[in-house]
Amino acid sequence: DTGVSQNPRHKITKRGQNVTFRCDPISEHNRLYWYRQTLGQGPEFLTYFQNEAQLEKSRLLSDRFSAERPKGSFSTLEIQRTEQGDSAMYLCASSLALDSNEKLFFGSGTQLSVL
Amino acid sequence: SQELEQSPQSLIVQEGKNLTINCTSSKTLYGLYWYKQKYGEGLIFLMMLQKGGEEKSHEKITAKLDEKKQQSSLHITASQPSHAGIYLCGADIPGGSQGNLIFGKGTKLSVKP
């Protein structure tokens, strides 16, 4: 297994368009997370799944954002009617929730630029 | 709300020199993580600390969590160009779900050969 995989690596879109990102976690990991990172800032939590259930959503996740993990494996993050403020790196992470020592493995991210 | 402050914001060192990066929390830390990020890439896990006074080392990198569990330091001995990148500290949010971490803004490290 090569780790957490994210596609595409880069996405340029025009304001108002919809975009969808995909994340393939490490195969045996049951938890999957989405984070957003803007330039010069640390990542900010957006949402997470345990298997196929979306258990927590940040207030940062507006109504234009939707995430799914239909079969408890890969996940998609969709942004509708993109705005320039959505430009950021979108990071996916996964973990195997066994105990309190939870280590997140991050993907390389999808860099979104909204023109 | 809890905040993590990292210092310095950026650091340029000569290869072979030692350096320290600090991470200070406004509240007690219950799980402190150190990650490294190359520009435009994802985060690479370095170490996790939980207990006051805990210290962990991996190769030339040592991380410590103070007894009061409000400050952590990352120390690199005999720095190399491969150590260059952005170092981020992250912490569990008390009462939050596991994996819901807050992060500092990062410390950008450059190592001059």
Side-chain angles (χ1 to χ4, degrees):
Chain A
D1 194 305
T2 56
V4 179
S5 176
Q6 291 190 245
N7 289 289
R9 288 295 310 276
H10 304 275
K11 180 70 177 179
I12 301 173
T13 190
K14 291 183 178 179
R15 190 176 51 187
Q17 298 293 306
N18 299 344
V19 294
T20 300
F21 312 139
R22 177 179 169 124
C23 172
D24 288 272
I26 294 172
S27 57
E28 64 268 25
H29 284 185
N30 57 349
R31 288 190 175 182
L32 185 149
Y33 306 81
W34 285 99
Y35 279 77
R36 181 175 71 183
Q37 185 179 26
T38 53
L39 196 62
Q41 303 294 318
E44 296 174 295
F45 171 83
L46 292 178
T47 187
Y48 100 95
F49 293 82
Q50 178 147 331
N51 300 313
E52 65 275 8
Q54 188 173 18
L55 296 185
E56 187 169 347
K57 292 195 287 187
S58 162
R59 57 179 175 78
L60 294 175
L61 213 65
S62 75
D63 291 344
R64 297 184 296 104
F65 288 68
S66 62
E68 295 183 342
R69 194 183 183 198
K71 297 182 180 178
S73 56
F74 74 92
S75 175
T76 58
L77 177 67
E78 181 184 16
I79 309 174
Q80 296 182 326
R81 305 180 303 282
T82 52
E83 302 173 355
Q84 287 184 325
D86 296 332
S87 295
M89 172 79 86
Y90 289 84
L91 294 162
C92 175
S94 69
S95 71
L96 181 61
L98 291 177
D99 52 32
S100 61
N101 297 326
E102 187 161 347
K103 182 167 67 176
L104 271 60
F105 292 83
F106 282 84
S108 296
T110 294
Q111 182 67 53
L112 173 66
S113 298
V114 181
L115 305 178
Chain B
S1 62
Q2 186 169 13
E3 292 184 351
L4 296 179
E5 186 171 332
Q6 288 188 237
S7 62
Q9 287 186 327
S10 64
L11 193 54
I12 303 173
V13 299
Q14 198 70 39
E15 183 177 358
K17 295 294 186 183
N18 303 339
L19 64 106
T20 300
I21 297 168
N22 294 303
C23 175
T24 302
S25 172
S26 56
K27 297 183 180 180
T28 301
L29 294 162
Y30 291 97
L32 189 283
Y33 304 78
W34 283 101
Y35 284 88
K36 179 185 175 184
Q37 185 177 30
K38 291 282 192 182
Y39 181 75
E41 298 285 333
L43 281 64
I44 300 169
F45 174 82
L46 296 175
M47 275 171 277
M48 179 201 169
L49 304 166
Q50 278 191 309
K51 301 175 183 176
E54 188 175 8
E55 179 175 322
K56 288 186 178 178
S57 293
H58 177 67
E59 297 181 342
K60 294 185 179 180
I61 301 176
T62 300
K64 300 178 185 179
L65 182 61
D66 75 338
E67 289 289 344
K68 293 184 178 179
K69 295 172 64 176
Q70 282 195 272
Q71 186 168 25
S72 178
S73 61
L74 188 80
H75 184 77
I76 300 178
T77 303
S79 58
Q80 300 170 353
S82 60
H83 288 128
I86 299 169
Y87 289 82
L88 292 152
C89 64
D92 290 320
I93 297 176
S97 54
Q98 290 179 347
N100 181 348
L101 305 179
I102 59 166
F103 284 91
K105 292 184 179 181
T107 295
K108 183 179 178 182
L109 173 63
S110 301
V111 180
K112 286 187 174 181

